């Protein structure tokens, strides 16, 4: 235990054994309270936002857990064990000694955001508005982290049980000496997220940098939180506020028209490894840049697009025709008909993505009875993904329209991992009560080797033995 504590202090911060290294020395510990980063000027706190560790997430397990994927034994059997377990929706994905990236990455960020929240107003500098803006940005960014954590480790939000469902520990201090972590309820975590966002939004500027959380991004995140709680009228109003803020932002925020951008010379011009992706600073579809590296884009074939999902695309859907291949990476076609390998993009935006926000707002319109508005939005969206003659959405009732929006999400985000969170959200939704979620593992000759069914208990990750031993106040998920 002593060795562990020494490691904690050397690394600078830790939560639940989540080692997120920063540079510091023994001399530093002699002059600065343990757990503190060196920052005194207001500009120092601003610089804490600019760090690659604050931008990326070192886990792509959601790609394996998403509903739209399948696997072929020839490629799947050689995949890392954690990825195989994730695809099989097993109870324990990680080894007992592991510290999951889903914990370490987000808690490392929360440590930094807590320092800014608690210290920046006392920093050296004369611009109080700037200090308030930085604190607001850290609050909204912390809310984004907790929204991810509660959707990894808590049950999907249910207003009848959220007050008693175990969620995730709420940490508001940047102190490595804390060791009494207990799980707050799902309701407490959602209330905490909402409070952070509502407190932050009035002091946030309009977005000027895709690496930073601006007002529109925070409003969109707050709206998304309400969608996950089933508060669709509130979410719709907040989405409208977010789009107003996007319009007021100096950033160009809009969805690409793939009919144009995939042509030669366009920003999504097809190449040897799939469509190009614009640099972050110029990518108009990114509002708040946080990403994961999708190892199943371009190279890996351990999970593939399932035949059932491939059938959702129309013949002229550019998202399918430009982003998927029926062959191995520089290899022959797959032996299983109807499966496809994702080509691009290797970076999946998990921060605030304008496509996600647009489709969520469309879903809210459908759920609140504005069917005409939802269909109009869908057709506008689809015209950016295929020829206009293929973009029509047929008239349909409310239930079918809600399902159509979810299918549109699946077409947009297939084999990128984001639809794992959609499945969690709709798993107990009456509109989708008859749906089942199955992963199929095929033999190399195309016959079915095994199938795996998603159960409600597997909608949340379990803590590893390592974490539980170091934090005896924690309880595990089923």
């Amino acid at each position: 235990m002593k060795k562990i504590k020494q490691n904690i202090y050397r690394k600078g911060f830790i939560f639940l054994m989540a080692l997120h290294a920063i540079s510091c020395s023994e001399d530093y510990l002699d002059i600065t309270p343990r757990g503190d980063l060196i920052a005194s000027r207001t500009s120092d706190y601003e610089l804490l936002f600019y760090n690659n560790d604050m931008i990326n997430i070192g886990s792509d397990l959601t790609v394996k857990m998403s509903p739209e994927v399948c696997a072929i034994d020839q490629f799947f059997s050689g995949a890392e064990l954690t990825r195989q377990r994730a695809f099989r929706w097993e109870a324990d994905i990680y080894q007992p000694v592991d510290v999951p990236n889903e914990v370490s990455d987000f808690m490392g960020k929360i440590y930094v955001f807590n320092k800014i929240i608690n210290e920046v107003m006392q920093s050296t500098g004369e611009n109080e508005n700037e200090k308030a803006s930085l604190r607001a940005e850290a609050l909204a960014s912390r809310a984004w982290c907790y929204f991810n954590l509660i959707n990894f480790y808590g049950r999907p939000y249910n207003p009848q049980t959220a007050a008693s469902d175990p969620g995730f520990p709420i940490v508001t201090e940047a102190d490595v000496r804390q060791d009494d972590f207990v799980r707050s309820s799902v309701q407490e975590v959602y209330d905490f997220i909402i409070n952070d966002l509502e407190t932050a939004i009035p002091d946030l500027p309009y977005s000027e940098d895709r690496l930073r959380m601006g007002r529109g991004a925070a409003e969109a995140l707050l709206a998304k939180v309400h969608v996950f709680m089933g508060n669709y009228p509130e979410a719709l109003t907040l989405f409208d506020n977010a789009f107003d803020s996007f319009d007021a932002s100096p950033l160009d925020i809009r969805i690409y028209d793939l009919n144009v951008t995939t042509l030669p010379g366009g920003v999504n011009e097809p190449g040897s490894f799939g469509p190009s992706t614009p640099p972050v600073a110029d990518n108009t579809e990114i509002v708040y840049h946080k990403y994961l590296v999708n190892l199943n884009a371009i190279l890996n074939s351990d999970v593939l697009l399932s035949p059932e999902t491939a059938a959702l695309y129309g013949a002229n859907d550019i998202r399918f025709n430009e982003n998927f291949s029926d062959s191995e990476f520089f290899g022959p076609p797959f032996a299983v008909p109807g499966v496809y390998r994702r080509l691009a993009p290797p970076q999946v935006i998990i921060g605030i993505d304008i496509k996600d926000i647009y489709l969520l707002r469309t879903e809210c319109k459908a759920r609140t009875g504005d069917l005409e508005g939802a269909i109009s939005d869908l057709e506008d969206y689809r015209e950016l993904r295929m020829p206009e003659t293929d973009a029509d959405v047929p008239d349909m009732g409310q239930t079918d329209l809600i399902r159509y929006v979810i299918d549109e999400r699946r077409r947009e985000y297939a084999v990128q991992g984001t639809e794992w969170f959609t499945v969690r959200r709709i798993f107990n939704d009456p509109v989708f009560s008859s749906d089942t979620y199955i992963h199929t593992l095929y033999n190399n000759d195309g016959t079915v080797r095994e199938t795996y069914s998603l159960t409600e208990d597997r909608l949340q990750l379990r803590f590893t033995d390592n974490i539980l031993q170091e934090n005896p106040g924690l309880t595990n998920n089923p």
Side-chain angles (χ1 to χ4, degrees), residues 158-179:
N158 180 333
Q160 279 73 49
T161 63
S164 56
D165 288 337
F168 198 86
I170 294 175
V171 181
T172 59
E173 300 294 330
D175 185 352
V176 301
R177 294 163 293 184
Q178 286 185 272
D179 59 2

Side-chain angles (χ1 to χ4, degrees), residues 378 382 390-394 396 398-411 432:
L378 274 172
R382 287 168 58 79
D390 296 293
D392 288 348
V393 175
M396 60 186 80
Q398 184 178 34
T399 296
D400 288 338
L401 185 56
I402 293 169
R403 297 182 69 89
Y404 194 99
V405 177
I406 297 300
D407 283 345
E408 195 66 40
R409 292 190 61 88
R410 201 154 295 172
R411 287 186 281 267
F432 301 91

Side-chain angles (χ1 to χ4, degrees), residues 303-327:
V303 298
L304 302 160
L305 183 72
S306 71
E308 295 79 10
T309 308
L312 293 176
Y313 292 94
N316 296 316
D317 195 317
I318 300 170
R319 293 170 295 189
F320 180 77
N321 294 334
E322 298 295 343
N323 283 302
F324 290 95
S325 169
D326 64 356
S327 301

Side-chain angles (χ1 to χ4, degrees), residues 52-118:
N52 195 53
D53 288 338
M54 303 299 288
I55 299 171
N56 65 5
I57 306 298
S59 173
D60 67 343
L61 289 187
T62 55
V63 179
K64 281 71 179 173
M65 296 190 295
S66 287
E68 74 278 5
V69 300
C70 66
I72 301 175
D73 187 61
Q74 173 185 355
F75 310 100
F76 181 76
S77 60
E80 184 180 316
L81 184 57
T82 55
R83 289 176 166 79
Q84 293 188 35
R85 290 170 173 168
F87 177 82
R88 293 192 289 256
W89 292 314
E90 292 188 11
D92 292 304
I93 294 175
Y94 289 96
Q95 295 291 90
V97 298
D98 288 343
V99 177
N101 287 325
E102 291 76 20
V103 171
S104 61
D105 281 355
F106 288 109
M107 292 313 302
K109 292 171 177 57
I110 286 171
Y111 176 93
V112 176
F113 295 141
N114 280 340
K115 288 197 66 64
I116 298 169
I117 291 164
N118 296 329

Side-chain angles (χ1 to χ4, degrees), residues 216-402:
E219 290 168 334
L221 176 57
L222 181 56
K224 186 171 181 176
V225 171
H226 278 287
V227 171
F228 276 60
M229 298 174 73
N231 300 331
Y232 303 113
E234 295 91 336
L236 188 55
T237 298
L238 288 162
F239 280 131
D240 289 341
N241 292 344
F243 275 91
D244 288 341
S245 293
F246 297 155
D247 290 340
S249 168
L251 290 177
D252 183 7
I253 299 173
R254 57 187 167 85
I255 303 168
Y256 287 122
D257 183 351
L258 298 182
N259 296 286
V260 176
T261 60
T262 57
L263 296 176
V267 296
N268 303 119
E269 179 181 18
S272 301
F273 304 108
S276 304
T277 302
V280 171
D282 301 325
N283 191 329
T284 67
E285 294 185 339
I286 298 175
V287 181
Y288 179 52
H289 184 56
K290 303 289 183 185
Y291 72 92
L292 64 82
V293 176
N294 182 6
L295 297 178
N296 285 96
I298 300 177
L299 184 61
N300 287 6
S301 298
D302 54 342
V303 298
L304 302 160
L305 183 72
S306 71
E308 295 79 10
T309 308
L312 293 176
Y313 292 94
N316 296 316
D317 195 317
I318 300 170
R319 293 170 295 189
F320 180 77
N321 294 334
E322 298 295 343
N323 283 302
F324 290 95
S325 169
D326 64 356
S327 301
E328 305 170 35
F329 184 70
F330 283 108
F334 296 114
V336 181
V339 305
Y340 294 85
R341 174 173 57 88
R342 181 93 202 186
L343 296 177
Q347 286 189 3
V348 176
I349 303 305
I350 59 171
I352 305 299
D353 163 17
I354 189 63
K355 305 188 302 293
D356 175 45
I357 299 309
Y358 188 95
L359 289 171
L360 286 172
R361 186 180 68 166
T362 301
E363 182 183 342
C364 286
K365 289 184 178 182
R367 288 186 181 271
T368 56
D370 182 9
L371 307 191
E372 183 178 348
I375 289 175
S376 177
D377 282 358
L378 274 172
E379 290 181 338
D380 289 345
Y381 188 88
R382 287 168 58 79
E383 287 175 7
L384 302 175
R385 266 53 196 141
M386 61 196 70
E388 184 177 350
T389 53
D390 296 293
D392 288 348
V393 175
D395 289 333
M396 60 186 80
Q398 184 178 34
T399 296
D400 288 338
L401 185 56
I402 293 169

